[in-house]
Amino acid sequence: MLALRLLWRNWRSGEVKLLAVALVLAVAVVSGIAIFADRLDTTLVQQSNAFLGADLIVSGTQPHRQAWSEEAENRGIEQTRVVEFSSMVFSGDELHLASIRAVAEGYPLRGYVETSHEAYSQQPPVRADSIPPAGEVWVDGRLLPLLNIELGDDIEVGEHTLTTTRILVRQPGESGFAMTGARVLMNLADLEQTQVVQPGSRIDYQWLVASDDSGNLAAFREWLQERLTDHDRIRDIDSSQRQLAQTLETGERFLLLAAVVGVLLAGVAIGLAARQFAARHVDQVALMKSLGAGAGRIRQLYAGQLLILATLASLVGLVLGEGIQRGVASSLQSFFNVALAAPAIYAYVLSFFSGLVCLMFFALPALWFLPQVPPLKILRRELAVNQTQLWIQVVLALAAIFLLVSLFSRQLGLSLSVMAALTGILVMSAGIGFVLLKFSRRLSTNAGSIWRLAVANLQRQRGQSLVQMVIFSIAIMLLLTLTAVRTSLIEDWRMQLPENAPNHFLVNIAPQNVEAVQSFLDQEGVDREPLYPMVLGRLTHINGEERDRSLGMNREANLTWTDTLGDDNEIQAGAWWDEWSSETGLPGVSVEEGLAEQLGLSVGTRLEFSLGGLPIEVEVASLRSLDWQSMNPNFFFIFEPGALDDFSATYITSAYLPNDKKPLINELLRAYPNILVIELDRVFEQIRSIVDQVSQGVQLVLWLTLLGGGLVLFAAVTSSIDGRKREAGLLRALGSPRRLVIGSIWAEFSILGFLAGLVGVIGAEILLWNLQYWVLDIPVRAHPTFWVLGPILGAVCVGTLGAISCRGVVTTPPAVVLREAG
Amino acid sequence: MSQAVVEARAVRKDVASAEGTLSILHEVSLSVSSGDSLAITGPSGSGKSTLLGILAGLDLPSSGEVILAGHKLTAMDEEGRAKVRADHVGFVFQSFQLLPGLTALENVMLPLELHGAGDARQKASDFLARVGLSERLSHYPQQLSGGEQQRVAIARAFASEPRVLFADEPTGNLDMHTGAHVIDLLFELNREQGTTLVLITHEERLALRCQRRVELVAGALAEPEAELSPAL
């Protein structure tokens, strides 16, 4: 096969090596990122589904239908059942209204139940490898003091006696606040004997399903959705953990963005390599045509070579990419002790074809004119060859970028904003580059000979210099963008969960214990929020009329009073107590602004609450904004001090308890068994570990992309090296010292790099603004360090690369250089 | 006189330039019989290379007809002309035009491979032996002297056994001694294979070796074709 032989000869002579390396790296970077991102994505979804205990939960007041089970079984989808309810548990004379979960074999489908053998233990909890055996229950640590029992004692649940065998530390599917009673985990087989489930009792039946095959699951979900009634609710990570889902989504977008940037960089490198290849092959094509090869034959021969090259390079790239992603994954695994999910086959297929797509769109346009080289060129070397117009190449490259971005991200918004930004930047950087290059001449008139020579060179080949500069700028812009996005993403995530955010809520503190609890916590040096009084009340009337229940807020709300406004609260309308005076003589209330909008409240609106059947009328004094993510106790309604004096309140606070202070909870609960402690630390830990995983992945992907950037710089430098070698050879032949030759090349590339860095920073700021505003939904800010770093790094990297690539010309005799450079 | 294998009838070549249309060839007519050798001489810029390109089917005249090996090139498209070149034409160039990335052997193999010849390697190495380069098969052009490079080019030209060989200043880049050697080789193979030879040259001694000679001056044949030496 002639094409194969020609390819081999071209390879041997080094003419396709750059193209091959660019392709291999393109596929390696792309597949490395795509496969890794796919694994990370699957893992993260599974991890976060560990929050739920399943991929999907269907819950309702009736058990799920038998037909659903059969369908799931047919489709190979895992399933199990949970029945959740509140019920009194007894031991001797003590009783407590517990939150009970009866679970079937297989629970949880995702994540683990964590238990220990001691309440509020400092030891890390142990993952349970089964559900509680029949006859046993695992219970919340606080149930022990509440019922005055030890682990191993029996408790009664309804009509059935069960033995407490373990402390239940954490189980999937907890929302933290919803459960008010102590948790009890029991075997579903024991449920009937308790006789708790009676007609009319409030039971939440949950059907948990999961599958490793996300396509299968999605199809099943669709099937299921059509069969759900109004009483069935379907939940997944998106609906139950919005914030976490958002983090994951942003992380995923970043990875996609990185993959896209990887493709772009590799594409640019491929395009450059192809241009160089084409320029070197004009003579060869002319010769072959003079020897009688027609345009069709030439096209066939070159297409054959490219196809073979692309296939081989894609395979090598895929192997490399697999190596990269395995390396990255294993370092991640050892670091975080998580098992990454197996990659999906489509990630490999996509990566493989991305090589072909890259070649088709980035390389082919540069080569398109080759079959049209006139055979007469062999006789008349000065004959101009209609090279593919640069603008056609750029348009095709943009089309390729659009295709690839859409393919990888499956998000039109991302594709469009990358495209728009790139086009704008292309135009802008060309303009700015033109002006800067022009300006640099004036600056260099007083400079040394090295700089003058360099600037003269840049001026003389202004077209080529501009193209190179645009390419350097794009590479620098993309890398800076990625770095910035990564940094602000990680910061943004970290800020969602500050290090010392309160991780325990203490609820149900009796008024007579307030001072004692306060001083206990303070003595132990616990970082805590103030204690807020809390009264349960229901909003019944607005401006004297019974309110429209369809607007929400139908449950009993936690009402409080205070004279100091919380740090994260801000008055948006009306005034705080010190500046407020009632118009109606009623006591005042401050309402959270979101709720006020939902219910149609404004300053001056009269509200009537029912507190345990007793009415109280108040007037809206102010509307407040507040930060629900602060993990401080926050309230929809804050009353004027004194307004609720007639009602008995309990108190609530939140505190930060590091692990070594956890035993304090035991002490506290022993002294005040009525206090309800909600431990959020383990939930936080898990969220933080997920955020860390995403951040780490993001970091590693950034390094991979940097590799692509380096390749682009290298390709751009080498693509112009032939001409420069010839000139350098001439200078050497004319007796110029080595220092001048290398120095001027270094200076030339440094100037290019510096200008490219400057243009790149401007481009990066624009692209970042676009991305942050339109795609990633993170705050927009300027990056002053980039303005210093960009140009300097550009000058150093590009200058060094240029000098290294050309160093051969000063060590080789000029005659050889001139002969080789042709 | 045997049948004409190369024939030009009233060939004109005009090119557009900044100063208007520039006429490079005016009504050139000539004919070369099979097995003949023709030297086209003339000063620089007289249109020699243009004429050679048109005769060989590398370029088209603005008007007139060119017939090569019985094919009317001026009535064919580029693909058709490529086919005629593949079947009947060989070239030797002033600057050798060897591909730098290919060894001597591979350079000679290239036209054979393009024609799909099965024994390309054997044939190419035979021809390289004929030009005295059997020791240089795996050398790259840059490892060969100018004379050696032109010998490789000659081997390449003859390897596909063309009916017509076009040579554009084949000794232009060589010193006198090497040039003489290359000329000998060219005519030797020409005789052996009965190839028709059309060459452009500045060199009197090369022109003298040809059976016929025409001179181009400012794009026109300066004098009617003259028989310079008796036909063989």
Side-chain angles (χ1 to χ4, degrees), chain A residues 2 5-6 9 12-13 284 287-297 301 375-376 378-379 819-820, chain B residues 49 53 58-59 78-79 82 85-86 91 93 97 99 101-102 106 109-111 113-115 140 142 156 168:
Chain A
L2 186 55
R5 277 203 298 272
L6 288 178
R9 289 173 196 166
R12 206 184 46 200
S13 65
Q284 185 164 338
L287 179 72
M288 292 203 288
K289 287 190 114 178
S290 77
L291 294 175
R297 181 93 167 106
L301 282 174
L376 190 61
I378 200 78
L379 277 182
R819 174 132 49 113
E820 278 180 3
Chain B
S49 290
L58 294 177
D59 197 7
E78 170 51 30
E79 287 294 308
R85 286 200 300 272
F91 287 100
F93 305 100
Q97 296 290 3
L99 295 179
L102 270 54
E106 287 163 353
M109 281 165 69
L110 186 64
E113 290 174 323
L114 283 173
H115 300 164
Y140 288 94
Q142 67 191 49
R156 178 178 67 190
D168 179 25

Side-chain angles (χ1 to χ4, degrees), chain A residues 153-181:
Chain A
D153 292 350
D154 287 348
I155 58 170
E156 282 162 52
V157 179
E159 302 296 318
H160 195 40
T161 305
L162 298 160
T163 312
T164 58
T165 51
R166 292 197 206 180
I167 298 293
L168 180 61
V169 178
R170 212 184 72 79
Q171 60 186 353
E174 280 171 8
S175 53
F177 292 99
M179 305 253 244
T180 45

Side-chain angles (χ1 to χ4, degrees), chain A residues 254 482-492 698 781 786:
Chain A
F254 175 83
L482 218 49
T483 315
V485 170
R486 174 207 140 258
T487 313
S488 54
L489 266 189
I490 292 175
E491 267 174 24
D492 198 48
V698 158
R781 63 192 102 168
F786 280 11

Side-chain angles (χ1 to χ4, degrees), chain A residues 386-702:
Chain A
N386 272 338
Q387 287 216 6
T388 315
Q389 296 280 318
L390 195 63
W391 71 266
I392 296 181
Q393 243 183 299
V394 170
V395 168
L396 276 169
L398 285 175
I401 290 163
F402 185 72
L403 185 77
L404 285 170
V405 174
S406 311
L407 209 66
F408 271 95
S409 66
R410 281 166 279 171
Q411 280 179 354
L412 202 63
L414 181 65
S415 314
L416 285 176
S417 68
V418 169
M419 288 294 295
L422 265 181
T423 319
I425 283 155
L426 220 61
V427 174
M428 189 199 61
S429 55
I432 293 176
F434 187 78
V435 173
L436 286 178
L437 271 180
K438 210 168 178 174
F439 193 59
S440 65
R441 179 178 227 163
R442 246 179 262 163
L443 283 178
S444 71
T445 39
N446 296 325
S449 56
I450 285 180
W451 293 99
R452 268 208 314 279
L453 198 61
V455 172
N457 254 338
L458 287 174
Q459 295 287 340
R460 204 155 30 79
Q461 305 173 353
R462 191 178 292 174
Q464 195 194 355
S465 304
L466 258 182
V467 171
Q468 269 189 331
M469 206 186 76
V470 169
I471 288 161
F472 291 144
S473 312
I474 291 178
I476 291 172
M477 166 193 87
L478 291 176
L479 294 178
L480 287 179
T481 303
L482 218 49
T483 315
V485 170
R486 174 207 140 258
T487 313
S488 54
L489 266 189
I490 292 175
E491 267 174 24
D492 198 48
W493 291 336
R494 292 263 150 82
M495 274 187 324
Q496 288 178 3
L497 282 179
E499 262 318 302
N500 291 338
N503 54 4
H504 288 77
F505 274 74
L506 307 181
V507 187
N508 208 29
I509 305 167
Q512 66 271 21
N513 296 335
V514 165
E515 272 182 33
V517 169
Q518 236 165 9
S519 57
F520 172 83
L521 291 175
D522 293 345
Q523 261 169 28
E524 298 293 341
V526 173
D527 198 359
R528 66 165 178 88
E529 290 296 306
L531 270 74
Y532 292 94
M534 210 165 79
V535 181
L536 284 177
R538 195 183 292 278
L539 177 64
T540 53
H541 294 77
I542 296 175
N543 281 336
E545 289 178 25
E546 202 156 320
R547 65 184 203 83
D548 180 359
R549 297 204 161 258
S550 66
L551 294 176
M553 201 67 210
N554 296 325
R555 62 185 171 84
E556 287 200 306
N558 292 314
L559 315 178
T560 190
W561 68 87
T562 179
D563 52 3
T564 48
L565 195 60
D567 291 341
D568 52 351
N569 285 239
E570 215 171 289
I571 299 293
Q572 301 295 333
W576 191 240
W577 314 133
D578 44 2
E579 290 170 12
W580 177 76
S581 59
S582 172
E583 289 173 17
T584 52
L586 293 171
V589 65
S590 174
V591 186
E592 191 266 332
E593 61 174 352
L595 182 72
E597 195 182 330
Q598 190 184 333
L599 298 179
L601 312 180
S602 56
V603 175
T605 307
R606 279 178 298 122
L607 305 179
E608 191 179 316
F609 289 87
S610 162
L611 285 74
L614 299 172
I616 174 173
E617 199 172 10
V618 288
E619 177 189 329
V620 176
S622 62
L623 304 182
R624 277 171 301 125
S625 66
L626 55 82
D627 180 8
W628 288 110
Q629 291 175 11
S630 68
M631 299 297 163
N632 298 327
N634 269 312
F635 298 89
F636 283 117
F637 300 103
I638 298 180
F639 285 68
E640 195 180 357
L644 297 175
D645 280 357
D646 295 341
F647 304 92
S648 65
T650 60
Y651 285 72
I652 177 175
T653 187
S654 64
Y656 172 71
L657 284 176
N659 205 27
D660 60 323
K661 286 195 174 153
K662 283 213 79 155
L664 289 180
I665 299 174
N666 278 334
E667 270 178 62
L668 195 70
L669 286 175
R670 224 163 278 136
Y672 313 103
N674 280 326
I675 294 179
L676 172 60
V677 177
I678 300 170
E679 295 169 275
L680 287 176
D681 52 345
R682 297 201 197 279
V683 178
F684 286 0
E685 218 166 87
Q686 193 157 3
I687 292 180
R688 199 171 280 133
S689 109
I690 288 178
V691 167
D692 277 347
Q693 277 176 41
V694 184
S695 309
Q696 196 72 13
V698 158
Q699 194 108 334
L700 289 161
V701 164
L702 179 73

Side-chain angles (χ1 to χ4, degrees), chain B residues 15-222:
Chain B
V15 290
S17 75
E19 291 85 33
T21 308
L22 196 67
S23 189
I24 297 176
L25 295 173
H26 320 277
E27 309 289 337
V28 173
S29 297
L30 58 76
S31 139
V32 189
S33 303
S34 183
D36 261 8
S37 53
L38 171 74
I40 303 170
T41 60
S44 292
S46 59
K48 299 189 299 290
S49 290
T50 307
L51 180 60
L52 185 83
I54 290 173
L55 292 178
L58 294 177
D59 197 7
L60 279 179
S62 306
S63 68
E65 282 183 352
V66 177
I67 294 151
L68 180 66
H71 300 277
K72 196 170 175 186
L73 293 181
T74 37
M76 303 174 104
D77 61 4
E78 170 51 30
E79 287 294 308
R81 288 194 296 276
K83 176 89 172 63
V84 174
R85 286 200 300 272
D87 293 342
H88 306 291
V89 176
F91 287 100
V92 174
F93 305 100
Q94 178 177 9
S95 52
F96 323 136
Q97 296 290 3
L98 299 178
L99 295 179
L102 270 54
T103 61
L105 181 66
E106 287 163 353
N107 264 293
V108 178
M109 281 165 69
L110 186 64
L112 299 167
E113 290 174 323
L114 283 173
H115 300 164
D119 52 349
R121 181 171 292 273
Q122 186 54 47
K123 216 166 174 182
S125 74
D126 286 351
F127 269 90
L128 278 168
R130 297 268 291 277
V131 299
L133 290 175
S134 48
E135 305 294 310
R136 293 271 199 269
L137 299 187
S138 55
H139 284 55
Y140 288 94
Q142 67 191 49
Q143 299 168 314
L144 299 172
S145 70
E148 285 172 328
Q149 289 190 46
Q150 195 60 305
R151 275 148 69 193
V152 174
I154 289 172
R156 178 178 67 190
F158 281 101
S160 52
E161 296 168 7
R163 282 184 71 186
V164 190
L165 185 92
F166 292 95
D168 179 25
E169 305 268 12
T171 55
N173 274 351
L174 302 173
D175 62 53
M176 202 190 255
H177 176 71
T178 318
H181 194 68
V182 164
I183 293 170
D184 287 344
L185 197 60
L186 204 58
F187 281 94
E188 195 183 310
L189 284 165
N190 169 233
R191 242 191 330 274
E192 270 177 33
Q193 294 198 355
T195 314
T196 308
L197 196 59
V198 177
L199 56 83
I200 290 176
T201 186
H202 275 109
E203 271 192 74
E204 199 57 25
R205 61 191 170 114
L206 178 53
L208 284 174
R209 299 268 305 255
C210 293
Q211 292 158 331
R212 291 166 52 212
R213 161 184 187 162
V214 292
E215 189 172 7
L216 261 185
V217 178
L221 290 178

Side-chain angles (χ1 to χ4, degrees), chain A residues 677-809:
Chain A
V677 177
I678 300 170
E679 295 169 275
L680 287 176
D681 52 345
R682 297 201 197 279
V683 178
F684 286 0
E685 218 166 87
Q686 193 157 3
I687 292 180
R688 199 171 280 133
S689 109
I690 288 178
V691 167
D692 277 347
Q693 277 176 41
V694 184
S695 309
Q696 196 72 13
V698 158
Q699 194 108 334
L700 289 161
V701 164
L702 179 73
W703 286 112
L704 278 184
T705 321
L706 274 174
L707 208 68
L711 186 73
V712 169
L713 294 187
F714 182 74
V717 168
T718 46
S719 72
S720 69
I721 225 74
D722 283 353
R724 281 170 221 265
K725 267 190 177 162
R726 200 163 31 238
E727 279 169 28
L730 255 176
L731 280 175
R732 284 289 280 168
L734 295 174
S736 300
R738 177 196 184 104
R739 208 179 61 82
L740 180 71
V741 174
I742 280 285
S744 72
I745 292 173
W746 170 82
E748 194 180 329
F749 278 108
S750 296
I751 294 173
L752 269 183
F754 182 85
L755 295 181
L758 212 56
V759 176
V761 171
I762 300 174
E765 292 281 16
I766 295 175
L767 185 56
L768 277 171
W769 187 85
N770 256 303
L771 285 177
Q772 292 173 340
Y773 192 78
W774 298 107
V775 182
L776 294 170
D777 198 23
I778 48 179
V780 180
R781 63 192 102 168
H783 307 84
T785 46
F786 280 11
W787 291 84
V788 181
L789 269 182
I792 292 177
L793 276 181
V796 169
C797 294
V798 178
T800 312
L801 261 176
I804 290 174
S805 314
C806 281
R807 77 184 184 289
V809 296

